[in-house]
Amino acid sequence: MNLLNLDSLPIQLRNAIMVQSLKPGQVLYRQGDPAGMFYVVEAGRLKLVRYGEDERTTTLLVARSGEGFAEVALFAEVYPCTAIAEIASQVIAYPKPLLLSALRDYPDLAEDFMTLLVQRIQALQIRLELRDIRASHERVLRYLRYLAQPGRTVIRFDRPLKDIANDLGLTPETLSRALTRLERDGRISRNQQQIILHNSSAA
Amino acid sequence: MNLLNLDSLPIQLRNAIMVQSLKPGQVLYRQGDPAGMFYVVEAGRLKLVRYGEDERTTTLLVARSGEGFAEVALFAEVYPCTAIAEIASQVIAYPKPLLLSALRDYPDLAEDFMTLLVQRIQALQIRLELRDIRASHERVLRYLRYLAQPGRTVIRFDRPLKDIANDLGLTPETLSRALTRLERDGRISRNQQQIILHNSSAA
DNA sequence: CGCATAGTTGACTACGCTCAACCCTGGTGG
DNA sequence: CCACCAGGGTTGAGCGTAGTCAACTATGCG
C-alpha cells in the first residue's frame, strides 16, 4: 500500500480522490486557507512558499512528479504556505478526513506516510546545514553534490537559477559568480544547462 | 495514548523501556551509530548536532524535558546526528522494533507520533525562514518573538548566548551587537538573563 | 520584430566575520 | 578567605565578501 500508487489504496479513499489541472503560475491554495486536502503531484512541478513580512519569500519545498505535499495540513486547521504551479501540472487531491481515517485503519499506509514525513525532515535538515556554510561557492558546491545522484556527476537544472539562488539564500548575482568561480577553479564544468562535478567525493 | 505518558502505553512497550542518566557533556549516541532507540527526555536537556567538514557543527534540535527525539532513526539504519546532554539529564529509551510494531498496532499512538513529526517539520521550516532574514538584528528580533509565548513578552535563555548565536547562524559577537542595538532602538529591554519584548505584534 | 525575462558582469557599499583586548562571573584550590 | 583561572559575554578595529544597483547580452515568446 502506497500513497503514490492509486491502485494500492483502500477503495473508499480511492473513490474520493480528485484530479486537478493547473496552469503555470496558478495557485492551488493560499497560506491561511482552511486546510482540506493532501496532494500528490501527478505531473508537473509545484512550489510551496511562505510569505514573510516585507516581500521576503521562502520556498519550503519544490514538489515534482510523484511527490506528495501539504502533509502538514492534515494536522493543522489552515495551510501554512501557498502552493503554486511552476509549470502546467496535474495534482491528485485526497480529502483530509478520509485520508486521516485511512491512516488509522491501514498501518501500511500510516507507515508509508511516516516515511514521507521523515524524508521531509531530513531534507529540511540538509537545507539548514547548507545555510551554515558562509562562503557562497562552497555552499553552492555542497548543494550540487547533494543534488547529484550518488555516482553520477552531471546535474541539469529544471528551474531558473534565480529560484535556486533564493533556495540557497543567495542573490542570483552571487550564485552566478559562485558558479563561474567554481568553474575557474576546476571544481565543475558547465555547458548550457548542464553542470559536471569534478574530482570529488560526491557526498 | 501518548508517547510521553508512560501509563498510557501498551504494556509490552511499557515493559521494554529503559531509563538512562547522562552527565553534562555526555554523548548518548554518535552520528553513524546503528540506530536502535527512540528517546524521550525525562529531565534535563540534550542537543542533536551534525558535524560537517572543517569543524562546522549544526544544531538540529534542542530537546527539553518532555520532548522526544531521534524519530528519524526509526526509519533509518544509523543515527544521522550526535546526541549530547547539555546538562545532567535522564532519558527514556524505546527499542526501535517494539516501538515500530506498536505504531502499527495502535492508531492512536501512530497519530501521536505523526503529530510529533509534523511539529518537527514546522520547527525546521521556521528556522529556515529565519535564515532568510539578512539583517542580524531583525533576525534576532524575529527569533525572540518566536520564542515568546503568545501574549507574554518576557524571555529567559536557558543556555549560553554563544549556542543561540550558532543556532541563528551568527557569531556570538554579532548576536551581542544585535541585542545591544535592539535595546538601543527600544525594541527590547534586558536585565540579567531576561529579555522583554516591546511594542510589537508578537507573532 | 519587439518585448519581457533570465543570466552575466562591473563598481560600490555595507554588514557580518575575524582577531584581539577587556570585563565579569563562578568555581577551585591554596 | 582570597587568589587564581576558565569561560562567557562585550566592545573595538579592520577586512572580506555578499548584497545592491546598474548596464549589457541572450533567449524565448507574442
Side-chain angles (χ1 to χ4, degrees):
Chain A
M1 190 171 305
N2 187 304
L3 272 178
L4 310 177
N5 179 359
L6 296 185
D7 295 330
S8 74
L9 294 178
I11 186 68
Q12 70 273 31
L13 183 56
R14 174 113 176 62
N15 286 338
I17 64 177
M18 291 170 287
V19 178
Q20 193 169 345
S21 288
L22 299 160
K23 287 192 263 287
Q26 188 176 343
V27 172
L28 178 58
Y29 57 78
R30 251 174 242 284
Q31 190 169 332
D33 286 352
M37 297 285 184
F38 170 76
Y39 295 95
V40 170
V41 183
E42 171 91 346
R45 192 173 74 245
L46 290 272
K47 67 176 169 185
L48 274 57
V49 296
R50 267 186 72 85
Y51 297 100
E53 52 201 21
D54 66 332
E55 322 275 302
R56 270 186 308 90
T57 67
T58 303
T59 300
L60 296 176
L61 179 70
V62 175
R64 292 182 169 75
S65 181
E67 296 180 354
F69 63 96
E71 64 282 342
V72 170
L74 289 182
F75 298 86
E77 292 304 311
V78 299
Y79 291 108
C81 55
T82 299
I84 306 172
E86 289 195 333
I87 58 178
S89 307
Q90 283 91 44
V91 297
I92 308 170
Y94 298 74
K96 172 173 160 177
L98 271 172
L99 181 51
L100 278 177
S101 68
L103 288 176
R104 302 194 118 264
D105 295 341
Y106 300 92
D108 280 356
L109 196 63
E111 196 164 297
D112 196 48
F113 190 72
M114 289 189 250
T115 305
L116 171 73
L117 294 178
V118 166
Q119 287 169 351
R120 198 99 339 148
I121 290 172
Q122 288 177 313
L124 283 167
Q125 288 176 346
I126 286 172
R127 286 187 63 187
L128 206 52
E129 209 180 343
L130 269 182
R131 293 299 185 101
D132 282 334
I133 304 175
R134 319 262 190 211
S136 63
H137 59 281
E138 290 299 337
R139 188 188 302 178
V140 171
L141 186 58
R142 279 288 276 267
Y143 174 74
L144 293 173
R145 289 187 184 158
Y146 164 65
L147 276 191
Q149 329 295 345
R152 296 298 297 136
T153 59
V154 59
I155 296 149
R156 261 258 282 293
F157 291 129
D158 59 354
R159 59 206 188 100
L161 282 187
K162 80 193 247 311
D163 290 2
I164 292 165
N166 192 46
D167 284 9
L168 287 169
L170 300 172
T171 59
E173 295 94 326
T174 303
L175 174 58
S176 176
R177 283 187 247 262
L179 286 171
T180 60
R181 174 167 175 181
L182 288 172
E183 193 169 21
R184 173 174 63 73
D185 293 351
R187 322 281 287 271
I188 64 170
S189 301
R190 283 193 284 179
N191 41 357
Q192 61 251 18
Q193 310 290 10
Q194 230 171 238
I195 291 184
I196 294 128
L197 290 175
H198 290 167
N199 71 332
S200 46
S201 49
Chain B
M1 189 170 308
N2 186 306
L3 273 179
L4 310 177
N5 179 359
L6 295 184
D7 296 329
S8 74
L9 294 178
I11 185 67
Q12 69 273 29
L13 182 55
R14 173 113 179 61
N15 287 338
I17 64 177
M18 291 169 286
V19 178
Q20 192 168 347
S21 287
L22 299 160
K23 287 193 262 286
Q26 189 176 342
V27 171
L28 179 58
Y29 57 78
R30 250 173 241 286
Q31 191 169 332
D33 285 352
M37 297 285 185
F38 171 76
Y39 295 95
V40 170
V41 182
E42 172 90 344
R45 191 172 75 245
L46 291 273
K47 67 177 172 185
L48 274 59
V49 296
R50 268 186 71 87
Y51 297 100
E53 53 202 20
D54 65 331
E55 322 276 300
R56 268 184 311 87
T57 67
T58 302
T59 300
L60 296 177
L61 179 70
V62 174
R64 293 182 169 76
S65 182
E67 296 180 353
F69 63 95
E71 63 282 341
V72 170
L74 290 182
F75 299 85
E77 293 304 311
V78 298
Y79 291 107
C81 54
T82 298
I84 306 174
E86 289 194 332
I87 57 179
S89 307
Q90 284 91 45
V91 297
I92 308 171
Y94 298 74
K96 173 173 161 178
L98 271 171
L99 181 51
L100 279 176
S101 67
L103 289 176
R104 302 194 117 265
D105 295 340
Y106 301 92
D108 280 356
L109 196 64
E111 196 163 296
D112 196 49
F113 190 73
M114 287 190 249
T115 304
L116 171 73
L117 294 178
V118 166
Q119 286 169 351
R120 197 98 340 145
I121 290 172
Q122 288 176 312
L124 284 166
Q125 288 176 346
I126 286 172
R127 288 187 63 189
L128 206 53
E129 210 181 341
L130 270 182
R131 294 298 185 99
D132 281 335
I133 304 175
R134 320 263 190 211
S136 65
H137 59 281
E138 291 298 338
R139 189 188 301 178
V140 171
L141 185 58
R142 280 288 277 265
Y143 174 73
L144 293 175
R145 289 187 184 158
Y146 165 65
L147 276 191
Q149 330 296 343
R152 296 296 298 136
T153 59
V154 59
I155 296 149
R156 260 259 281 294
F157 290 130
D158 61 351
R159 60 206 188 102
L161 283 186
K162 79 195 248 312
D163 290 1
I164 292 166
N166 192 46
D167 284 9
L168 288 168
L170 300 172
T171 59
E173 294 95 326
T174 303
L175 173 57
S176 176
R177 284 187 247 262
L179 286 172
T180 60
R181 173 166 177 181
L182 288 172
E183 194 170 19
R184 173 174 64 71
D185 293 352
R187 322 280 289 271
I188 64 170
S189 302
R190 281 192 286 178
N191 42 354
Q192 61 252 19
Q193 312 289 9
Q194 233 172 235
I195 290 184
I196 294 129
L197 289 175
H198 291 168
N199 72 332
S200 46
S201 49

